[in-house]
Amino acid sequence: MEIKVHGMGMSTCCARVLLCLEEKGLDYEVVPLDLTAGAHKQQPHLSLNPFGQIPAFEDGNVTLFESRAINRYLARKYEAAGTDLLRSGSLVESAVVDTWMEVEAHQFNGPIYKIIRQMIVNPIYGLPIVEEVVEAAAQNLGKVLDVYEERLGTHKYLAGENYTMADLNHIPYLVYMMRTDRAIIVNSRPRVKAWWEDISSRPATLKVIESMMPA
Ligand code: GS8
């Protein structure tokens, strides 16, 4: 297979890339990496991702890491296939997609990562859930999603009337958060809730959720 994703479907950052591959209808192979054995901190993985993290990505001779950068590469290379994720045909529309992708990476990701780390990852490693950390992150995420609630009052999706990579990049952490009692942060905001129900029921999303951790 030309396209290889080194990692595993249960990892949120790998799932982000798989969502893009599925929206584009591309064939790919997930090359499993045994994180428990520390394979990500050793060669040959370090030559694919020098930070010793997953995912790492190969498309023929091209090797990349950083899930969001991999997704932009895929969307540019396979622009004509599947969903138009970057709206590159319009300077302004693509700039709005960029804006909301930045919002995801710089406003949304920080607090939701803390919630998932505490509530989902810590128990796996036998670590306690620090409730104060969860509460502070939930407050911050709520403030971010207040902005989304407003935005989704005038637009169907974050970047406008079309589903784009700006929406897609949010999905993996939300899949896990929606299984916790902090799902209320989404469910208490009607437009954010409707947006989540829409983007989480896309065929590509349903396919990728199958490879994530079971609920
Ligand atoms: C983050 C990669 C990352 O944190 C990206 O690709 O988007 N900004 C990067 N990967 C995590 C798994 S994410 O579920 C990872 O590899 N963790 C193991 C480690 O850091 O040792």
Side-chain angles (χ1 to χ4, degrees):
M1 200 78 72
E2 278 282 287
I3 298 182
K4 294 191 174 76
V5 179
H6 298 259
M8 50 190 182
M10 70 178 271
S11 142
T12 48
C13 302
C14 295
R16 187 173 292 118
V17 173
L18 303 187
L19 284 163
C20 187
L21 288 161
E22 290 293 340
E23 287 290 345
K24 289 288 173 191
L26 301 170
D27 288 329
Y28 60 92
E29 180 187 344
V30 176
V31 183
L33 206 66
D34 189 356
L35 294 203
T36 56
H40 54 316
K41 304 296 180 197
Q42 295 162 32
Q43 292 297 3
H45 187 74
L46 285 175
S47 58
L48 292 171
N49 185 334
F51 292 96
Q53 290 189 317
I54 54 172
F57 171 90
E58 291 182 86
D59 180 14
N61 294 329
V62 176
T63 64
L64 294 169
F65 58 94
E66 283 292 343
S67 59
R68 296 168 183 84
I70 297 165
N71 281 0
R72 282 194 292 268
Y73 164 86
L74 286 168
R76 289 189 197 115
K77 176 165 178 188
Y78 301 100
E79 192 182 351
T83 312
D84 178 4
L85 291 170
L86 292 178
R87 313 295 302 167
S88 311
S90 156
L91 175 65
V92 174
E93 277 186 55
S94 63
V96 178
V97 176
D98 285 348
T99 302
W100 287 92
M101 287 200 291
E102 295 294 324
V103 170
E104 184 277 322
H106 302 293
Q107 307 277 2
F108 171 88
N109 187 73
I112 199 166
Y113 169 78
K114 285 190 185 148
I115 294 171
I116 299 311
R117 174 90 217 174
Q118 290 291 324
M119 298 189 77
I120 309 272
V121 181
N122 278 9
I124 295 174
Y125 288 98
L127 297 169
I129 297 171
V130 183
E131 213 32 66
E132 298 76 55
V133 173
V134 178
E135 185 51 37
Q139 293 295 329
N140 287 337
L141 184 62
K143 285 182 204 148
V144 174
L145 293 189
D146 282 341
V147 177
Y148 287 36
E149 184 69 5
E150 186 82 22
R151 173 76 183 165
L152 293 167
T154 48
H155 299 84
K156 187 163 193 279
Y157 295 98
L158 290 174
E161 296 320 299
N162 301 285
Y163 177 76
T164 67
M165 194 177 291
D167 307 293
L168 179 153
N169 282 350
H170 286 78
I171 291 174
Y173 281 117
L174 281 172
V175 167
Y176 289 140
M177 193 185 78
M178 294 309 287
R179 296 174 181 175
T180 75
D181 59 7
R182 297 293 173 168
I184 184 96
I185 307 171
V186 166
N187 290 335
S188 60
R189 293 172 172 81
R191 293 173 194 134
V192 175
K193 180 172 190 276
W195 167 76
W196 171 245
E197 280 164 4
D198 178 340
I199 68 176
S200 62
S201 61
R202 295 176 66 81
T205 311
L206 294 174
K207 177 99 191 284
V208 174
I209 289 175
E210 278 173 29
S211 67
M212 295 178 76
M213 249 191 292

